[in-house]
Amino acid sequence: MTLMRAVFMRQEVEDQSELEQKGLLDDCPGRRYDLIVIGAGPAGLFCAINCRQNARNDDHRRDNRRILILEKKGSPGRKLLLSGSGQCNITHEGEIRNFLNHYGEHGRFLRPAIMGFTNQDLIYYFKAKGLEMASEPSGKIFPQTRRSKDVLDILVEDCKKADIEIQCRKDVRTVNRIEDGFALLGDGFSYRSSILVIATGGCSYPATGSSGDGYRFARSLGHRLTEIGPALTPVIIKDYPFHDLAGISLDNIKISLNNLKKTREGQGDILLTHEGLSGPAILDLSRYIQPEDILKLSFVPKEKRADLEGWFLELSGKEGSRTVKSLLSSIPCSVPLPSRLIGRIIEICGIDPDLGLSQLRRRERMHLVDILVGLPLTVSRPDGFEAAMVTRGGVDWREVNPKTMQSRLVKGLYLAGEVLDVDGDTGGYNLQSCFSTAMLAARSIRKSWDGKMN
């Protein structure tokens, strides 16, 4: 049993005991809704909104369906406001089929959701509300205003227009299956609903409300959880040699991750921090990184190793008096290396930076080549949930119908967004999956209300 799972189990027992003492688990009817969504993040808000859309105007009963969103924090969308450093990297440009490769093994599960509500659909949704989108050369797409708040304001306003009730500071403590739906209990409130959507997010940025509650709720209803951990997070390095070089960024570096399971490779920009490594290439690999894994940074691609060795030998004869440090500033097959980083690499190799190239012994030269082709760094740990953009792991997607987002175990239970065991690369892919899974759940709920699904 993982530590995180043990924490969830203990919290379930404590919540149950406290509510029993307060008499909130008695057989009271509670306020009845047709749909309750737990979590007022992008997935929860978008799902509720789209459960209202396309309703027939002549169906009076449809207009009267009661929809409630419960949010534990004082206002909706706290984590959304932090997205993209407050600028909201909402999705990515490009062919939607290519998105599936950015979710690792989860791409197959997400296919119906992503293909059913694409990046272009998402862009058009907000454009129709008056919020234009703009793309960067990297392919990231942001609101033209560069304000996450503008995205959140549209979602909240759409909830108001659709007569969807949002109640904040409602900390759901337990969720119970009852004969005709679900009973949700908290300190001072009791609600009932025929359909329930869990859209609570994961455990990343817990101060925003994403503290893992949805995992407890799903588990109490019979769902399994895969191992949970931080993802899209910086990595802390043991005996880190670059403390004083924090802030240096390197473009398009190749990285290999070696652990007991397999070797994975990535490529992209990295950033040296005070304690380790960050940047898109590291963030994307972080979902697989564990303590004691070995990361290798290739300043020179390993396929160029023979060229590098030949270059060293050639210059030893032609420019033997040239210092090692000046030589490394002009490696032809390397990414550009800042002078301070060159000095530290030479120091790691135990070489005098003022040593002439002709004085460099073969053993020293080969060691320098080894480091340039693959500097090994031992992982202390991935950074914690406070720094992670998303959560790795969650509700096992094999227990969720990918065509509806409805639980395969509990009728009327839907899951959307980060609470599921799905996580994507940095660059807007995770917000896209939140909106896409939310839309798929909403469409399924509408069909169930239309009587088109059993």
Side-chain angles (χ1 to χ4, degrees), residues 48-49 52 63 65 67 157-164:
I49 291 165
R52 279 280 197 236
D63 294 338
R65 291 196 189 276
I67 301 177
E157 181 62 25
D158 280 358
C159 284
K160 291 179 182 178
K161 291 178 180 177
D163 196 26
I164 293 167

Side-chain angles (χ1 to χ4, degrees), residues 110-213:
L110 284 174
R111 183 181 181 86
I114 296 291
M115 300 301 291
F117 188 76
T118 70
N119 52 346
Q120 294 303 315
D121 293 330
L122 184 58
I123 291 167
Y124 179 78
Y125 179 90
F126 285 98
K127 182 178 180 179
K129 308 290 180 180
L131 184 59
E132 296 283 349
M133 297 289 165
S135 62
E136 288 190 337
S138 65
K140 296 179 180 180
I141 292 179
F142 294 83
Q144 206 166 61
T145 60
R146 294 282 176 153
R147 284 164 44 97
S148 297
K149 185 176 183 299
D150 294 338
V151 173
L152 178 59
D153 286 348
I154 286 174
L155 296 175
V156 172
E157 181 62 25
D158 280 358
C159 284
K160 291 179 182 178
K161 291 178 180 177
D163 196 26
I164 293 167
E165 187 177 348
I166 302 176
Q167 292 188 18
C168 295
R169 295 190 175 90
K170 292 292 187 180
D171 189 359
V172 178
R173 304 291 288 278
T174 66
V175 175
N176 295 296
R177 189 78 172 97
I178 57 177
E179 184 177 353
D180 57 348
F182 304 87
L184 285 69
L185 303 166
D187 193 355
F189 66 88
S190 170
Y191 296 128
R192 304 288 175 102
S193 177
S194 302
I195 298 176
L196 176 65
V197 177
I198 299 177
T200 51
C203 290
S204 58
Y205 296 151
T208 66
S210 297
S211 53
D213 293 340

Side-chain angles (χ1 to χ4, degrees), residues 60-127:
H60 181 70
R61 293 171 302 170
R62 184 67 49 81
D63 294 338
N64 289 335
R65 291 196 189 276
R66 296 166 57 86
I67 301 177
L68 170 66
I69 302 175
L70 296 174
E71 169 57 45
K72 70 186 292 186
K73 304 302 286 187
S75 59
R78 291 283 189 90
K79 186 176 175 182
L80 179 62
L81 291 175
L82 300 179
S83 170
S85 300
Q87 299 182 62
C88 197
N89 176 197
I90 197 167
T91 187
H92 207 90
E93 66 179 13
E95 170 59 44
I96 193 63
R97 294 181 185 276
N98 296 333
F99 270 53
L100 302 176
N101 297 325
H102 291 274
Y103 299 99
E105 63 180 8
H106 316 304
R108 183 177 178 183
F109 169 77
L110 284 174
R111 183 181 181 86
I114 296 291
M115 300 301 291
F117 188 76
T118 70
N119 52 346
Q120 294 303 315
D121 293 330
L122 184 58
I123 291 167
Y124 179 78
Y125 179 90
F126 285 98
K127 182 178 180 179

Side-chain angles (χ1 to χ4, degrees), residues 38 190 225 270 348 388 399:
I38 309 178
S190 170
L225 302 179
I270 68 168
I348 290 171
E399 297 178 344

